[in-house]
């Protein structure tokens, strides 16, 4: 018999684990993509930006379905994962990380890209004249100056990962004690008539969302004051 404390604690802990790991992956890959989009012109750039942004407008269930096709046992990546690890990734908390990463990546890329594009290119040119390579310039000049936008994108991405439901449900499922995140637990509790659990988790998610909005606004206002 699962206690009320376990019903509360596990969804919160698994949600934070998924959101933290997906946010780390989003930070690494999202800033890289944002820099490429902001500072490079290449064939197919518009298509690449479109594909990265697509999860923002697609229904979560569609994203989940596409991910199932991609990482399922017979999918392009799923087949490789199964052959390499000897097990599939569907209906695991790692699948929840993939879902959260997919839906939150566009927020990081778009926010960081705007911040990088706002950095004065003359400062980068000056660094080049002084003998700095592009990589050194990016890490010493461009990204530090764009840190406010990058941090705001990270906060938004984390908040989006915490609240993810549709894609996670399709990819990771709703397995009590294994993949039931807060959003999924709220849905299950509501269906089961457990309003006490649903109300508590809704309160937690609402407070986290308000905190994310406030933190993002504070970062943005500080950025304006420093300009």
């Amino acid at each position: 018999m699962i206690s009320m404390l376990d019903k509360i604690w596990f969804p919160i802990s698994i949600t934070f684990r998924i959101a933290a790991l997906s946010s780390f992956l989003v930070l690494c890959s999202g800033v890289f993509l944002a820099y490429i989009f902001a500072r490079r012109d290449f064939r197919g750039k518009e298509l690449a930006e479109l594909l990265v942004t697509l999860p923002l407008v697609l229904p979560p269930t569609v994203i989940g379905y596409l991910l199932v096709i991609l990482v399922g046992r017979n999918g392009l990546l799923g087949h490789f994962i199964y052959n390499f690890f000897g097990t599939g990734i569907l209906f695991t908390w790692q699948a929840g990380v993939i879902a959260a990463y997919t839906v939150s990546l566009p927020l990081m890329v778009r926010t960081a890209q705007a911040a990088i594009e706002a950095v004065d290119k003359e400062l980068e040119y000056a660094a080049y004249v002084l003998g700095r390579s592009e990589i050194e310039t990016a890490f010493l000049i461009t990204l530090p100056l764009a840190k406010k936008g990058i941090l705001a994108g990270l906060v938004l991405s984390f908040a989006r990962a915490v609240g993810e439901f549709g894609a996670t449900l399709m990819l990771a499922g709703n397995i009590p004690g294994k993949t039931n995140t807060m959003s999924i637990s709220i849905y299950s509790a509501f269906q089961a008539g457990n309003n006490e659990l649903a109300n508590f988790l809704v309160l937690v998610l609402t407070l986290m969302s308000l905190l994310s909005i406030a933190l993002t606004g504070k970062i943005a206002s500080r950025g304006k004051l420093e300009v």
Side-chain angles (χ1 to χ4, degrees), residues 13 18 66 77 80 84 97 115 133 136 139 173 179 190:
S13 62
I18 289 174
L66 293 175
L77 292 179
F80 170 78
F84 189 81
V97 173
S133 66
E136 290 176 321
F139 280 101
T179 63
F190 174 75

Side-chain angles (χ1 to χ4, degrees), residues 128-160:
Y128 297 150
V129 171
L130 294 174
R132 296 291 185 180
S133 66
E134 182 178 0
I135 294 178
E136 290 176 321
T137 301
F139 280 101
L140 296 175
I141 304 295
T142 310
L143 296 183
L145 291 175
K147 65 181 179 180
K148 298 296 183 182
I150 294 173
L151 184 56
L154 181 61
V155 173
L156 291 173
S157 298
F158 180 83
R160 180 67 183 86

